[in-house]
Amino acid sequence: MGPDRRVPETASVWGALERLLLPAACLVCRRPIPEHEADEPVCSGCRFRMRPVAPPWCERCGQPRPLFGACRICADWPDAFRRCRSAVWLEQGARDAVHALKYEGVRRVAGGLARRMAELLPLPGRAAVLIPVPLAKHREQARGYNQSQVLATALGTLWNVRVETEVLTRSRETATQTALTPEARRANVAGAFRVRSGEHPALVIVDDVFTTGATLAECARALAASGARDVTAVTFGRASLPDFT
Ligand SMILES: [Zn+2]
Ligand SMILES: [Zn+2]
């Protein structure tokens, strides 16, 4: 065997050794994760720096109260949509963690995010059902999974509540919401979801990020139209909306 064939072999052995010997890096700050936190993809320092969404807020949607007048975020939500809470502001480390879950295939980050979400709502009863916000089919196929479903599964394990992926589905594709105003977001998702009718226990919608709440409100609207009367929602991140409020 000539040396030219040995090089890649040696390199792959080194790669394996490196993975074995060097501690994993935090996916936010890239520093090595201490051994006692070895199962965490985000180090404790970075987790600590994620800024919780905290009161004073609108009791219903969890958005900081406006300086004047009533909350505009949840004014047109259906009556059945009772409450929504988000764990942390979508900035710096939290944004990186969501990005890793959504675009880098780091599904194991979901456990840590779900732990932050689990404290936000009273423990749902055993009959409650978690409903992940469904992705458009081609997006889920391209990604290989639905990040909201991965979060819901992690949360369901913590809460001991079952996850239902067939109750709420997309009835049509929607454009990416990122660059849209609140009004455009609402129009974009109007009628985008279909509900399989059936029993209606307490439903908890799960999503990765709350931006204007348009997607969650539309999910709740579809669920309410099929008879649901007790809908809440929980997300990991909440985008601050300086331009929209
Ligand atoms: Zn870190
Ligand atoms: Zn509100």
Side-chain angles (χ1 to χ4, degrees):
M1 189 187 285
D4 53 327
R5 295 185 62 194
R6 277 172 177 254
V7 171
E9 205 174 288
T10 311
S12 75
V13 169
W14 273 117
L17 267 179
E18 199 178 304
R19 282 193 293 279
L20 207 66
L21 297 177
L22 293 179
C26 166
L27 61 80
V28 174
C29 68
R30 307 290 171 192
R31 291 196 200 108
I33 301 248
E35 203 173 320
H36 64 277
E37 312 174 9
D39 290 339
E40 295 287 346
V42 178
C43 76
S44 55
C46 287
R47 276 183 280 141
F48 183 74
R49 280 189 289 274
M50 293 179 189
R51 192 164 60 98
V53 181
W57 52 28
C58 167
E59 271 306 316
R60 191 180 187 202
C61 67
Q63 191 76 0
R65 279 203 215 102
L67 287 176
F68 305 102
C71 177
R72 279 181 286 173
I73 293 278
C74 61
D76 60 357
W77 284 7
D79 291 344
F81 193 4
R82 297 181 177 186
R83 177 180 287 202
C84 178
R85 291 290 181 267
S86 309
V88 301
W89 291 107
L90 193 69
E91 52 194 15
Q92 298 156 350
R95 188 184 296 278
D96 291 340
V98 169
H99 195 277
L101 172 67
K102 217 163 164 173
Y103 302 112
E104 297 165 34
V106 189
R107 295 165 67 155
R108 67 197 177 92
V109 77
L113 309 193
R115 280 202 301 280
R116 299 290 288 258
M117 297 161 74
E119 305 155 8
L120 300 175
L121 295 174
L123 187 68
R126 292 296 296 274
V129 173
L130 304 189
I131 310 281
V133 170
L135 273 185
K137 270 220 161 54
H138 73 274
R139 278 198 202 131
E140 184 164 350
Q141 274 162 4
R143 194 167 293 167
Y145 58 92
N146 171 0
Q147 75 278 359
S148 301
Q149 189 182 332
V150 175
L151 277 176
T153 303
L155 192 55
T157 305
L158 294 172
W159 276 347
N160 198 18
V161 167
R162 83 192 150 95
V163 178
E164 264 286 0
T165 56
E166 302 300 319
V167 168
L168 185 70
T169 50
R170 290 248 175 195
S171 54
R172 65 173 173 80
E173 315 259 310
T174 51
T176 301
Q177 297 265 75
T178 316
L180 301 177
T181 63
E183 294 72 27
R185 278 172 178 256
R186 190 173 164 196
N188 186 38
V189 294
F193 300 98
R194 187 189 305 121
V195 175
R196 191 193 65 192
S197 49
E199 10 115 52
H200 299 291
L203 302 175
V204 184
I205 309 171
V206 179
D207 207 358
D208 52 350
V209 172
F210 178 111
T211 306
T212 62
T215 301
L216 290 169
E218 193 58 28
C219 290
R221 220 165 266 129
L223 293 164
S226 85
R229 292 287 164 266
D230 181 5
V231 180
T232 53
V234 60
T235 76
F236 171 70
R238 184 165 299 220
S240 47
L241 300 169
D243 305 334
F244 291 160
T245 49

